[in-house]
Amino acid sequence: MIKSFKVGNNTINKSKCLIIAEVGVNHNCNLKIAEKLIKEAKINGADIVKFQTYKAHNLSIKESPQFKTPNGKIIKKGALYKSYKKVDKFNKTDYRILKKICKKNKIEFMSTPFDDYSVDMLDSLGVKAFKVASCDITNFPLLKKIAKKRKPIFLSTGASNINEIQKAMKFIFKFNKKICLMHCTMSYPTKPEDANLLALNEFKKKFKNIPLGLSDHSLGYEIAAASVLLGVRVIEKHFTYNKKLKKSSDHPISINSSELKKLRKNIDLLLKASGSEKKKVLNCEKELRKISRRSLVTTKFIKKGETIVENSLTPKRPGTGIAPNLISLIVGKKAKKNILKDVVIKKNDFF
């Protein structure tokens, strides 16, 4: 049983899977685009809208190399710093407006801070939780800054090994116990064979009672939806309403409104199908169990006092009598009375 905690009006527990629509910087520093993304996220089933808060000069050196796709292709020409600089224009006033738009649309506002100033700024706006990006799992000064705010943390684990994750968790636990551990593959987009969802089983063994999430960069919604069967109760997906928009390099790898709606529908269906983690006879099976299982039935007329032999009995439906696996308890007994052929025998027919 996972521990539960709240993020605003949303509760993280076993009964529901929260969806974080990761707008990131897909707003392109345009409040109208951001507002449309927030509204589309809410309409199509997201519980939280998350942004990314940084300034390029605090995040990267000016000559930093660009990201590459899995096949080695460079996403954009030039330095990574310049890409960050194009989408780092929102300030505290802008984030305050975004938070108000989220409140108006009844969806939780959240953002990933990448530096100390951003942590303090978001905290002052009353953000209810923080996301830690995979790249900062070893950034202990930032982890400490965030953890000491005593707000829930979504810790992403892309490109990290289990020892690094354990060290980060142990460090955060000194200040904050409200952590959702997010499985992640740091590859954009993530190929299906690199999703590695079964790593969640190791998380369950190593981090008992910790809620599990998935920060997913695969194309589409199917892989993310499937993760709920492995215990995931928070799913984060990059989100846009138009994959052809420019500036942010995340648009092409994001799900759109239609895919978000399908993600919500599939998550809810799979959660409903997940069950209780215990194999038992369900109420819906009980009646059919009686009819379809077999009982020991006489193959011939049996006289009173006759000793029962194995070929006097055969398994037949319905399963309302003595189960065939108990035949050894009947063979060798004597009939208390005459028993007709092709009838279900009962325990009080013998002695």
Side-chain angles (χ1 to χ4, degrees), residues 308-350:
I308 304 302
V309 294
E310 192 165 337
N311 62 8
S312 299
L313 304 170
T314 190
K316 283 188 179 184
R317 292 176 177 176
T320 53
I322 299 169
N325 62 327
L326 300 176
I327 191 170
S328 62
L329 301 179
I330 305 300
V331 171
K333 291 184 179 291
K334 294 183 184 295
K336 286 184 178 179
K337 59 183 180 179
N338 292 336
I339 306 172
L340 297 176
K341 179 183 178 181
D342 200 40
V343 296
V344 175
I345 63 169
K346 299 175 182 176
K347 288 182 181 179
N348 58 9
D349 288 339
F350 309 95

Short mmCIF file of all heavy atoms in Angstrom, two decimals, residues 308-350:
data_model
loop_
_atom_site.label_atom_id
_atom_site.label_comp_id
_atom_site.label_asym_id
_atom_site.label_seq_id
_atom_site.Cartn_x
_atom_site.Cartn_y
_atom_site.Cartn_z
N ILE A 308 -18.31 -48.11 -3.04
CA ILE A 308 -18.07 -47.24 -4.19
C ILE A 308 -16.68 -47.50 -4.75
O ILE A 308 -15.68 -47.52 -4.02
CB ILE A 308 -18.20 -45.76 -3.78
CG1 ILE A 308 -19.58 -45.50 -3.16
CG2 ILE A 308 -17.97 -44.85 -4.98
CD1 ILE A 308 -20.75 -45.84 -4.06
N VAL A 309 -16.61 -47.68 -6.06
CA VAL A 309 -15.33 -47.80 -6.76
C VAL A 309 -15.18 -46.58 -7.67
O VAL A 309 -16.15 -45.88 -7.97
CB VAL A 309 -15.25 -49.11 -7.57
CG1 VAL A 309 -15.25 -50.33 -6.65
CG2 VAL A 309 -16.39 -49.19 -8.58
N GLU A 310 -13.97 -46.36 -8.16
CA GLU A 310 -13.68 -45.13 -8.91
C GLU A 310 -14.53 -44.99 -10.18
O GLU A 310 -15.02 -43.91 -10.48
CB GLU A 310 -12.19 -45.06 -9.27
CG GLU A 310 -11.77 -43.69 -9.79
CD GLU A 310 -10.26 -43.51 -9.80
OE1 GLU A 310 -9.56 -44.20 -9.05
OE2 GLU A 310 -9.80 -42.66 -10.59
N ASN A 311 -14.74 -46.12 -10.89
CA ASN A 311 -15.49 -45.99 -12.14
C ASN A 311 -17.01 -45.90 -11.92
O ASN A 311 -17.78 -45.87 -12.86
CB ASN A 311 -15.16 -47.12 -13.11
CG ASN A 311 -15.51 -48.49 -12.57
OD1 ASN A 311 -16.14 -48.62 -11.52
ND2 ASN A 311 -15.08 -49.54 -13.27
N SER A 312 -17.43 -45.85 -10.64
CA SER A 312 -18.85 -45.61 -10.33
C SER A 312 -19.18 -44.12 -10.42
O SER A 312 -20.35 -43.74 -10.37
CB SER A 312 -19.18 -46.08 -8.91
OG SER A 312 -18.96 -47.47 -8.76
N LEU A 313 -18.12 -43.31 -10.51
CA LEU A 313 -18.30 -41.86 -10.47
C LEU A 313 -17.59 -41.21 -11.66
O LEU A 313 -16.57 -41.71 -12.15
CB LEU A 313 -17.73 -41.29 -9.17
CG LEU A 313 -18.27 -41.87 -7.85
CD1 LEU A 313 -17.45 -41.37 -6.69
CD2 LEU A 313 -19.74 -41.50 -7.69
N THR A 314 -18.10 -40.04 -12.10
CA THR A 314 -17.48 -39.26 -13.18
C THR A 314 -17.71 -37.77 -12.91
O THR A 314 -18.73 -37.41 -12.30
CB THR A 314 -18.05 -39.65 -14.55
OG1 THR A 314 -17.26 -39.04 -15.58
CG2 THR A 314 -19.50 -39.22 -14.71
N PRO A 315 -16.79 -36.90 -13.35
CA PRO A 315 -17.01 -35.46 -13.15
C PRO A 315 -17.97 -34.88 -14.19
O PRO A 315 -17.77 -35.07 -15.39
CB PRO A 315 -15.60 -34.86 -13.35
CG PRO A 315 -14.66 -36.02 -13.34
CD PRO A 315 -15.44 -37.19 -13.84
N LYS A 316 -19.01 -34.20 -13.71
CA LYS A 316 -19.96 -33.52 -14.58
C LYS A 316 -20.44 -32.22 -13.93
O LYS A 316 -20.36 -32.06 -12.71
CB LYS A 316 -21.18 -34.41 -14.87
CG LYS A 316 -20.97 -35.52 -15.87
CD LYS A 316 -22.32 -36.19 -16.20
CE LYS A 316 -22.15 -37.30 -17.21
NZ LYS A 316 -23.48 -37.89 -17.59
N ARG A 317 -20.93 -31.32 -14.78
CA ARG A 317 -21.57 -30.12 -14.28
C ARG A 317 -22.97 -30.45 -13.76
O ARG A 317 -23.56 -31.40 -14.23
CB ARG A 317 -21.67 -29.08 -15.40
CG ARG A 317 -20.32 -28.52 -15.84
CD ARG A 317 -20.48 -27.57 -17.01
NE ARG A 317 -19.16 -26.98 -17.36
CZ ARG A 317 -18.97 -26.17 -18.39
NH1 ARG A 317 -19.99 -25.87 -19.19
NH2 ARG A 317 -17.77 -25.68 -18.63
N PRO A 318 -23.46 -29.62 -12.80
CA PRO A 318 -22.92 -28.40 -12.18
C PRO A 318 -21.96 -28.70 -11.03
O PRO A 318 -21.86 -29.84 -10.58
CB PRO A 318 -24.16 -27.69 -11.67
CG PRO A 318 -25.06 -28.81 -11.26
CD PRO A 318 -24.83 -29.89 -12.29
N GLY A 319 -21.31 -27.65 -10.54
CA GLY A 319 -20.34 -27.83 -9.46
C GLY A 319 -20.92 -27.62 -8.10
O GLY A 319 -20.28 -27.00 -7.23
N THR A 320 -22.11 -28.09 -7.86
CA THR A 320 -22.81 -27.86 -6.59
C THR A 320 -22.60 -28.99 -5.59
O THR A 320 -23.10 -28.92 -4.46
CB THR A 320 -24.31 -27.68 -6.85
OG1 THR A 320 -24.79 -28.81 -7.61
CG2 THR A 320 -24.59 -26.41 -7.62
N GLY A 321 -21.92 -30.06 -6.02
CA GLY A 321 -21.73 -31.22 -5.14
C GLY A 321 -20.30 -31.35 -4.68
O GLY A 321 -19.63 -30.36 -4.38
N ILE A 322 -19.82 -32.62 -4.65
CA ILE A 322 -18.46 -32.90 -4.20
C ILE A 322 -17.50 -32.72 -5.37
O ILE A 322 -17.70 -33.30 -6.45
CB ILE A 322 -18.36 -34.34 -3.66
CG1 ILE A 322 -19.31 -34.50 -2.46
CG2 ILE A 322 -16.93 -34.67 -3.24
CD1 ILE A 322 -19.50 -35.94 -2.00
N ALA A 323 -16.45 -31.91 -5.19
CA ALA A 323 -15.51 -31.63 -6.27
C ALA A 323 -14.73 -32.89 -6.65
O ALA A 323 -14.43 -33.73 -5.79
CB ALA A 323 -14.53 -30.53 -5.83
N PRO A 324 -14.40 -33.05 -7.93
CA PRO A 324 -13.68 -34.24 -8.40
C PRO A 324 -12.33 -34.47 -7.73
O PRO A 324 -11.87 -35.61 -7.63
CB PRO A 324 -13.49 -33.98 -9.90
CG PRO A 324 -14.60 -33.05 -10.26
CD PRO A 324 -14.80 -32.19 -9.06
N ASN A 325 -11.70 -33.41 -7.23
CA ASN A 325 -10.40 -33.59 -6.57
C ASN A 325 -10.53 -34.28 -5.21
O ASN A 325 -9.53 -34.63 -4.58
CB ASN A 325 -9.68 -32.24 -6.41
CG ASN A 325 -10.44 -31.24 -5.56
OD1 ASN A 325 -11.66 -31.23 -5.55
ND2 ASN A 325 -9.71 -30.41 -4.84
N LEU A 326 -11.78 -34.50 -4.77
CA LEU A 326 -12.01 -35.20 -3.49
C LEU A 326 -12.48 -36.64 -3.68
O LEU A 326 -12.95 -37.28 -2.74
CB LEU A 326 -13.06 -34.42 -2.67
CG LEU A 326 -12.71 -32.97 -2.31
CD1 LEU A 326 -13.87 -32.31 -1.59
CD2 LEU A 326 -11.44 -32.91 -1.46
N ILE A 327 -12.31 -37.17 -4.90
CA ILE A 327 -12.81 -38.52 -5.19
C ILE A 327 -12.19 -39.59 -4.30
O ILE A 327 -12.83 -40.58 -3.94
CB ILE A 327 -12.60 -38.87 -6.69
CG1 ILE A 327 -13.37 -40.15 -7.04
CG2 ILE A 327 -11.12 -38.95 -7.04
CD1 ILE A 327 -13.42 -40.43 -8.53
N SER A 328 -10.93 -39.39 -3.91
CA SER A 328 -10.26 -40.39 -3.06
C SER A 328 -10.93 -40.52 -1.70
O SER A 328 -10.79 -41.55 -1.01
CB SER A 328 -8.78 -40.02 -2.87
OG SER A 328 -8.66 -38.76 -2.21
N LEU A 329 -11.67 -39.50 -1.26
CA LEU A 329 -12.37 -39.55 0.03
C LEU A 329 -13.68 -40.33 -0.07
O LEU A 329 -14.26 -40.71 0.95
CB LEU A 329 -12.65 -38.13 0.53
CG LEU A 329 -11.43 -37.20 0.73
CD1 LEU A 329 -11.88 -35.83 1.21
CD2 LEU A 329 -10.45 -37.83 1.73
N ILE A 330 -14.15 -40.55 -1.30
CA ILE A 330 -15.43 -41.24 -1.51
C ILE A 330 -15.23 -42.71 -1.87
O ILE A 330 -15.99 -43.59 -1.41
CB ILE A 330 -16.24 -40.53 -2.62
CG1 ILE A 330 -16.43 -39.04 -2.29
CG2 ILE A 330 -17.59 -41.20 -2.84
CD1 ILE A 330 -17.16 -38.79 -0.98
N VAL A 331 -14.21 -42.96 -2.68
CA VAL A 331 -13.94 -44.35 -3.09
C VAL A 331 -13.67 -45.21 -1.85
O VAL A 331 -12.88 -44.82 -0.98
CB VAL A 331 -12.74 -44.40 -4.06
CG1 VAL A 331 -12.32 -45.85 -4.31
CG2 VAL A 331 -13.10 -43.72 -5.38
N GLY A 332 -14.36 -46.37 -1.76
CA GLY A 332 -14.20 -47.27 -0.62
C GLY A 332 -15.31 -47.15 0.40
O GLY A 332 -15.48 -48.02 1.27
N LYS A 333 -16.08 -46.06 0.33
CA LYS A 333 -17.21 -45.89 1.25
C LYS A 333 -18.42 -46.69 0.75
O LYS A 333 -18.47 -47.09 -0.41
CB LYS A 333 -17.57 -44.40 1.38
CG LYS A 333 -16.51 -43.56 2.10
CD LYS A 333 -16.98 -42.14 2.28
CE LYS A 333 -15.94 -41.31 3.03
NZ LYS A 333 -15.79 -41.69 4.43
N LYS A 334 -19.38 -46.91 1.65
CA LYS A 334 -20.58 -47.66 1.30
C LYS A 334 -21.79 -46.73 1.20
O LYS A 334 -21.88 -45.74 1.96
CB LYS A 334 -20.86 -48.75 2.34
CG LYS A 334 -19.80 -49.84 2.39
CD LYS A 334 -20.18 -50.91 3.39
CE LYS A 334 -19.07 -51.97 3.51
NZ LYS A 334 -18.90 -52.71 2.24
N ALA A 335 -22.67 -47.02 0.27
CA ALA A 335 -23.87 -46.21 0.07
C ALA A 335 -24.86 -46.40 1.21
O ALA A 335 -25.15 -47.53 1.60
CB ALA A 335 -24.51 -46.55 -1.25
N LYS A 336 -25.37 -45.31 1.76
CA LYS A 336 -26.37 -45.38 2.82
C LYS A 336 -27.74 -45.76 2.27
O LYS A 336 -28.60 -46.23 3.00
CB LYS A 336 -26.49 -44.01 3.51
CG LYS A 336 -25.36 -43.64 4.44
CD LYS A 336 -25.67 -42.31 5.11
CE LYS A 336 -24.58 -41.92 6.08
NZ LYS A 336 -24.88 -40.60 6.72
N LYS A 337 -27.94 -45.52 0.97
CA LYS A 337 -29.24 -45.73 0.35
C LYS A 337 -29.04 -46.00 -1.13
O LYS A 337 -27.92 -45.91 -1.65
CB LYS A 337 -30.11 -44.50 0.55
CG LYS A 337 -29.50 -43.23 -0.05
CD LYS A 337 -30.35 -42.00 0.21
CE LYS A 337 -29.70 -40.77 -0.42
NZ LYS A 337 -30.50 -39.56 -0.21
N ASN A 338 -30.09 -46.35 -1.81
CA ASN A 338 -30.01 -46.48 -3.26
C ASN A 338 -29.78 -45.10 -3.89
O ASN A 338 -30.43 -44.13 -3.50
CB ASN A 338 -31.30 -47.08 -3.83
CG ASN A 338 -31.49 -48.54 -3.43
OD1 ASN A 338 -30.52 -49.24 -3.11
ND2 ASN A 338 -32.73 -49.00 -3.43
N ILE A 339 -28.84 -45.07 -4.86
CA ILE A 339 -28.53 -43.80 -5.53
C ILE A 339 -28.74 -44.00 -7.03
O ILE A 339 -28.18 -44.93 -7.62
CB ILE A 339 -27.08 -43.35 -5.26
CG1 ILE A 339 -26.80 -43.29 -3.75
CG2 ILE A 339 -26.83 -41.98 -5.89
CD1 ILE A 339 -25.35 -43.04 -3.41
N LEU A 340 -29.55 -43.15 -7.60
CA LEU A 340 -29.85 -43.27 -9.02
C LEU A 340 -28.63 -42.96 -9.88
O LEU A 340 -27.67 -42.31 -9.45
CB LEU A 340 -30.99 -42.32 -9.40
CG LEU A 340 -32.35 -42.57 -8.72
CD1 LEU A 340 -33.35 -41.50 -9.11
CD2 LEU A 340 -32.87 -43.96 -9.09
N LYS A 341 -28.66 -43.39 -11.15
CA LYS A 341 -27.62 -43.09 -12.12
C LYS A 341 -27.73 -41.62 -12.56
O LYS A 341 -28.82 -41.06 -12.64
CB LYS A 341 -27.78 -44.01 -13.33
CG LYS A 341 -26.75 -43.77 -14.45
CD LYS A 341 -27.02 -44.68 -15.65
CE LYS A 341 -26.02 -44.38 -16.77
NZ LYS A 341 -26.25 -45.23 -17.96
N ASP A 342 -26.56 -41.01 -12.81
CA ASP A 342 -26.45 -39.65 -13.35
C ASP A 342 -27.03 -38.59 -12.42
O ASP A 342 -27.75 -37.69 -12.83
CB ASP A 342 -27.12 -39.56 -14.73
CG ASP A 342 -26.61 -38.35 -15.54
OD1 ASP A 342 -25.39 -38.07 -15.48
OD2 ASP A 342 -27.42 -37.70 -16.22
N VAL A 343 -26.72 -38.75 -11.12
CA VAL A 343 -27.10 -37.72 -10.15
C VAL A 343 -25.85 -37.25 -9.41
O VAL A 343 -24.87 -37.99 -9.26
CB VAL A 343 -28.14 -38.24 -9.13
CG1 VAL A 343 -29.44 -38.60 -9.83
CG2 VAL A 343 -27.60 -39.41 -8.34
N VAL A 344 -25.89 -36.01 -8.95
CA VAL A 344 -24.80 -35.45 -8.15
C VAL A 344 -24.85 -36.07 -6.77
O VAL A 344 -25.88 -36.02 -6.09
CB VAL A 344 -24.93 -33.92 -8.06
CG1 VAL A 344 -23.86 -33.34 -7.11
CG2 VAL A 344 -24.84 -33.27 -9.43
N ILE A 345 -23.75 -36.67 -6.36
CA ILE A 345 -23.72 -37.30 -5.04
C ILE A 345 -23.48 -36.26 -3.95
O ILE A 345 -22.93 -35.18 -4.21
CB ILE A 345 -22.66 -38.40 -4.97
CG1 ILE A 345 -21.26 -37.83 -5.18
CG2 ILE A 345 -22.95 -39.52 -5.96
CD1 ILE A 345 -20.15 -38.80 -4.88
N LYS A 346 -23.88 -36.62 -2.72
CA LYS A 346 -23.70 -35.74 -1.57
C LYS A 346 -22.97 -36.50 -0.47
O LYS A 346 -22.97 -37.73 -0.45
CB LYS A 346 -25.06 -35.26 -1.08
CG LYS A 346 -25.84 -34.47 -2.13
CD LYS A 346 -27.24 -34.13 -1.63
CE LYS A 346 -28.03 -33.40 -2.69
NZ LYS A 346 -29.43 -33.13 -2.28
N LYS A 347 -22.38 -35.77 0.43
CA LYS A 347 -21.59 -36.38 1.51
C LYS A 347 -22.45 -37.31 2.37
O LYS A 347 -21.96 -38.34 2.84
CB LYS A 347 -20.95 -35.29 2.39
CG LYS A 347 -19.81 -34.55 1.69
CD LYS A 347 -19.19 -33.51 2.62
CE LYS A 347 -18.06 -32.77 1.91
NZ LYS A 347 -17.46 -31.73 2.79
N ASN A 348 -23.70 -36.95 2.59
CA ASN A 348 -24.54 -37.79 3.46
C ASN A 348 -25.15 -38.99 2.73
O ASN A 348 -25.98 -39.70 3.26
CB ASN A 348 -25.65 -36.98 4.12
CG ASN A 348 -26.55 -36.28 3.10
OD1 ASN A 348 -26.45 -36.54 1.91
ND2 ASN A 348 -27.41 -35.41 3.60
N ASP A 349 -24.68 -39.25 1.47
CA ASP A 349 -25.11 -40.46 0.75
C ASP A 349 -24.28 -41.67 1.16
O ASP A 349 -24.61 -42.80 0.77
CB ASP A 349 -24.97 -40.25 -0.77
CG ASP A 349 -26.01 -39.29 -1.33
OD1 ASP A 349 -27.06 -39.10 -0.68
OD2 ASP A 349 -25.79 -38.73 -2.41
N PHE A 350 -23.18 -41.44 1.92
CA PHE A 350 -22.24 -42.51 2.21
C PHE A 350 -21.91 -42.57 3.71
O PHE A 350 -22.12 -41.62 4.44
CB PHE A 350 -20.95 -42.31 1.41
CG PHE A 350 -21.18 -42.09 -0.05
CD1 PHE A 350 -21.25 -40.81 -0.57
CD2 PHE A 350 -21.36 -43.16 -0.90
CE1 PHE A 350 -21.48 -40.60 -1.91
CE2 PHE A 350 -21.59 -42.96 -2.24
CZ PHE A 350 -21.65 -41.68 -2.76
#
